[in-house]
Amino acid sequence: MGGDEFACLVRHRDTSGKPLEMAQSIIQAVAKPIQLPGGLAEVSASIGIVTANPECGSADEMLRAADFAMYRAKRDGRSNYSVFAPEMAAEMRRRAALELDIRAGLHRGEFTPFFQPIIALATGEVIGFEALARWRHPELGLISPDVFIPIAEDAGIIQELGFALMRRACCEARGWPPHLTLSVNISPLQLNDQWLAQRVLQVLCATGFSAGRLVVEITESRLVSDTQAARAVMLSLKSAGVQIALDDFGTGYASLKHLRELAFNRIKIDRSFTHNVHATENAQIIQAILNLSDGLGLPVTAEGLETEESAEMLARLGCEFGQGYLFSPPVEPARALEIARNGRYSADGAPQARGDRIQRARTFRYGS
Ligand code: G
Ligand code: G
Ligand code: MN
């Protein structure tokens, strides 16, 4: 069907488990390691299953349904299968509509970065900002990246969207005092582009923002195992002076391997650990992460700090930087500039920690 997509047509009776059994055995057969001259290769497959019935539309529609089920399987983790359920049809239409709208919004320039300050916990000084994407939808208002990033990834437009946002963020950040850094999130999928580093440098060149002030954040939990390609891209970025942060640390599964192989410059502790620092388990995990990063000589930022208490506790444990509603929610560029010029967080003059009012995935309903 595509470069690495195949379709199987299977005759079976409605209630037989045959397609599921077949899917299982295909997955197992594909997963067998293959001995190549250079070493063992491992491949995984994800399978979507749809059964024809009298209500089914055209062959094309069935293939789209199977494709949708396959993406579900992929999302649930590789080497999985998923059966298309009728409820998915509405979801599929909604996503298709949303995808069209994202493309249009991209061309209309509706995607824009908000900025959340990152604070030195010991002094309260602002050391930089993280850019967080927002979609200023003409009818629906501000929409969260949780809604549109996964769709942009599936639709193959994450690279275009990511760079449009990065360009805007660099333009805004140019106006800040020159010691402040700008962190941008990139999707792990963007690492598949072998020219990623060159494209980033192009943006820096075009906007006049210096490489040494840019931090690229990569989410740990979705960093793929194909570290060869990722490493090459990250090395090019690093040799240009760009820093790389491992985002949401603690939520992935191969943390230590990644840290070593991919030579990150910074670590961000996921907010699930900092949210309740008093849970003994969280405190122990935080301590372990700080010990580890200390050993590796990597500075750490704690995400999701909402209370003075948690910020104090993290500072005491030796965490250098923090970020969260306690200091400020992600704010519009103009407000970020004010915070940047002000340069410091103080408990009384704290920017209101209300959280930004945006539509998140849980509550978001599109066109239905
Ligand atoms: O801003 P919150 O602001 O809702 O962000 C939710 C998630 O979306 C975070 O995990 C963040 O890393 C991700 N995100 C925000 N902006 C971007 C972006 O520009 N690109 C990518 N790939 N992810 C982003
Ligand atoms: O995955 P990433 O670290 O890029 O995600 C940042 C996300 O965290 C954004 O959605 C941002 O809006 C959100 N966020 C920032 N500060 C806080 C906070 O103090 N509490 C909570 N719950 N979320 C926060
Ligand atoms: Mn981030």
Side-chain angles (χ1 to χ4, degrees):
M1 308 300 299
D4 59 352
E5 291 184 2
F6 307 88
C8 273
L9 190 60
V10 183
R11 282 180 182 282
H12 75 110
R13 287 195 188 287
D14 201 12
T15 53
S16 85
K18 196 170 161 193
L20 308 193
E21 284 162 27
M22 274 193 74
Q24 196 56 54
S25 49
I26 291 172
I27 285 170
Q28 278 168 3
V30 169
K32 277 209 185 97
I34 304 160
Q35 184 68 56
L36 295 177
L40 268 191
E42 288 181 51
V43 182
S44 67
S46 307
I47 299 181
I49 301 169
V50 58
T51 294
N53 62 43
E55 286 109 74
C56 266
S58 63
D60 271 348
E61 276 170 46
M62 284 189 64
L63 277 173
R64 269 200 297 278
D67 196 48
F68 189 79
M70 182 192 69
Y71 273 109
R72 274 299 165 83
K74 242 184 215 175
R75 248 199 193 181
D76 295 344
R78 292 178 180 250
S79 289
N80 242 321
Y81 64 79
S82 140
V83 180
F84 186 82
E87 311 84 78
M88 288 183 194
E91 166 77 8
M92 213 170 103
R93 276 194 297 276
R94 197 160 62 222
R95 284 182 73 106
L98 192 48
E99 184 185 320
L100 283 180
D101 211 8
I102 290 174
R103 287 179 195 277
L106 189 52
H107 289 120
R108 290 192 299 255
E110 290 166 7
F111 291 90
T112 163
F114 271 40
F115 297 95
Q116 187 175 39
I118 302 172
I119 309 289
L121 291 177
T123 62
E125 263 168 279
V126 175
I127 62 119
F129 290 83
E130 175 178 4
L132 292 154
R134 299 288 182 264
W135 180 7
R136 213 183 280 283
H137 193 284
E139 288 135 40
L140 302 170
L142 275 188
I143 299 177
S144 151
D146 297 333
V147 175
F148 58 82
I149 297 280
I151 295 174
E153 286 177 343
D154 286 350
I157 48 175
I158 187 66
Q159 189 74 303
E160 196 183 337
L161 178 60
F163 276 106
L165 284 159
M166 192 186 293
R167 205 167 297 120
R168 282 198 167 192
C170 286
C171 282
E172 297 294 344
R174 242 180 355 201
W176 305 340
H179 64 284
L180 298 185
T181 57
L182 167 68
S183 302
V184 295
N185 293 283
I186 68 164
S187 157
L189 289 184
Q190 293 183 260
L191 288 174
N192 294 335
D193 174 6
Q194 58 167 328
W195 299 109
L196 182 83
Q198 284 75 3
R199 286 187 221 286
V200 171
L201 296 183
Q202 221 170 18
V203 171
L204 291 171
C205 208
T207 56
F209 191 71
S210 81
R213 295 174 64 190
L214 185 68
V215 181
V216 165
E217 296 191 3
I218 303 171
T219 299
E220 181 194 16
S221 57
R222 291 175 51 229
L223 205 54
V224 271
S225 48
D226 178 18
T227 43
Q228 282 290 33
R231 180 162 44 185
V233 165
M234 288 169 61
L235 274 180
S236 323
L237 280 173
K238 282 179 60 166
S239 55
V242 174
Q243 298 186 55
I244 304 189
L246 185 53
D247 205 357
D248 306 327
F249 187 74
T251 55
Y253 40 87
S255 327
L256 301 178
K257 184 166 170 272
H258 283 147
L259 265 181
R260 202 190 59 218
E261 288 189 355
L262 296 174
F264 285 89
N265 304 101
R266 293 161 168 272
I267 295 177
K268 298 189 81 172
I269 305 182
D270 189 64
R271 67 169 175 266
S272 56
F273 304 114
T274 57
H275 195 69
N276 179 3
V277 282
H278 291 296
T280 322
E281 202 187 59
N282 285 348
Q284 281 167 353
I285 291 173
I286 290 170
Q287 185 68 72
I289 295 177
L290 289 170
N291 289 344
L292 175 72
S293 55
D294 195 36
L296 294 169
L298 301 178
V300 178
T301 305
E303 296 179 329
L305 297 182
E306 295 184 0
T307 61
E308 290 285 355
E309 232 185 338
S310 57
E312 269 162 28
M313 168 127 171
L314 274 141
R316 205 162 49 228
L317 291 174
C319 180
E320 212 171 338
F321 305 111
Q323 179 182 346
Y325 295 159
L326 167 65
F327 306 114
S328 166
V331 293
E332 307 229 9
R335 178 75 186 113
L337 183 61
E338 282 173 23
I339 296 176
R341 291 196 170 138
N342 192 23
R344 179 175 297 275
Y345 160 79
S346 61
D348 26 314
Q352 62 290 50
R354 269 185 285 111
D356 48 346
R357 306 178 116 256
I358 57 174
Q359 305 202 42
R360 296 194 175 268
R362 238 177 314 117
T363 54
F364 185 76
R365 284 287 167 273
Y366 184 84
S368 68

